[in-house]
Amino acid sequence: MLYNLLKLTHVLSIIVWIGGMVFAHFFLRPAALQLPPPERLRLMQDVLRRFFAGVAVAIGLVLVTGLWMIGRVAKQAVQSGGSFAMPLDWTLMAALGIVMMAIFGHIRFALFKRLTRAVAASDWATGGQALASIRTWVGVNLALGVAIVAITLLM
């Protein structure tokens, strides 16, 4: 039962992260393009601040639940007299997940910081450049997230 609850938390956290990227990338951004740059950048900065806080929580939950589930399966294998070799799909999921987390760190702590400074200074050109960089890296993370889902479901 605990394993199932942890797996549910793991998957729901991933849904929040990937779903939020889909929403921001394909729905919010195109709609926000209709706003003048000062309004658009303020809106995106505020939305991303809130979203990134949620993603930080989701990442923590993904890490804790993922490591716990791997550890539990490994422990059961060893206790039953066998050995544990992590399946290839789990290895790919974990490795790509770590890459996604690193990219998120870059987005949140470098690019978003630039956006926040630009909005505070009413420097709309710099803010637009920062937002464009965020969009690019979110696109990369979204592609990696979709690849992880495909790998885990198709392998």
Side-chain angles (χ1 to χ4, degrees):
M1 179 66 164
L2 179 60
Y3 185 89
N4 291 337
L5 288 173
L6 291 171
K7 190 172 185 179
L8 175 65
T9 301
H10 191 81
V11 171
L12 289 176
S13 297
I14 291 164
I15 289 170
V16 166
W17 190 2
I18 293 175
M21 289 189 292
V22 167
F23 172 75
H25 205 70
F26 295 110
F27 302 99
L28 176 61
R29 182 188 168 274
L33 285 174
Q34 298 175 25
L35 298 171
E39 291 175 35
R40 177 175 62 244
L41 290 170
R42 284 185 188 111
L43 171 69
M44 294 301 292
Q45 191 266 340
D46 191 42
V47 169
L48 290 175
R49 178 180 51 80
R50 294 164 193 255
F51 176 60
F52 292 161
V55 170
V57 171
I59 286 173
L61 291 170
V62 166
L63 275 173
V64 168
T65 58
L67 289 171
W68 190 92
M69 288 186 292
I70 290 168
R72 178 164 179 212
V73 170
K75 182 179 175 183
Q76 287 175 339
V78 170
Q79 286 177 339
S80 66
S83 64
F84 175 72
M86 197 153 84
L88 178 59
D89 59 332
W90 289 15
T91 302
L92 291 172
M93 177 177 31
L96 291 176
I98 296 296
V99 171
M100 285 183 69
M101 292 173 200
I103 290 170
F104 171 75
H106 174 64
I107 292 168
R108 172 60 188 90
F109 298 109
L111 301 177
F112 183 67
K113 190 178 278 189
R114 282 186 218 152
L115 174 63
T116 299
R117 278 194 232 117
V119 168
S122 299
D123 182 352
W124 310 123
T126 300
Q129 291 170 349
L131 196 55
S133 294
I134 289 170
R135 178 176 173 258
T136 298
W137 283 107
V138 166
V140 170
N141 248 6
L142 180 56
L144 288 172
V146 170
I148 291 169
V149 171
I151 288 166
T152 57
L153 292 177
L154 299 176
M155 285 187 85

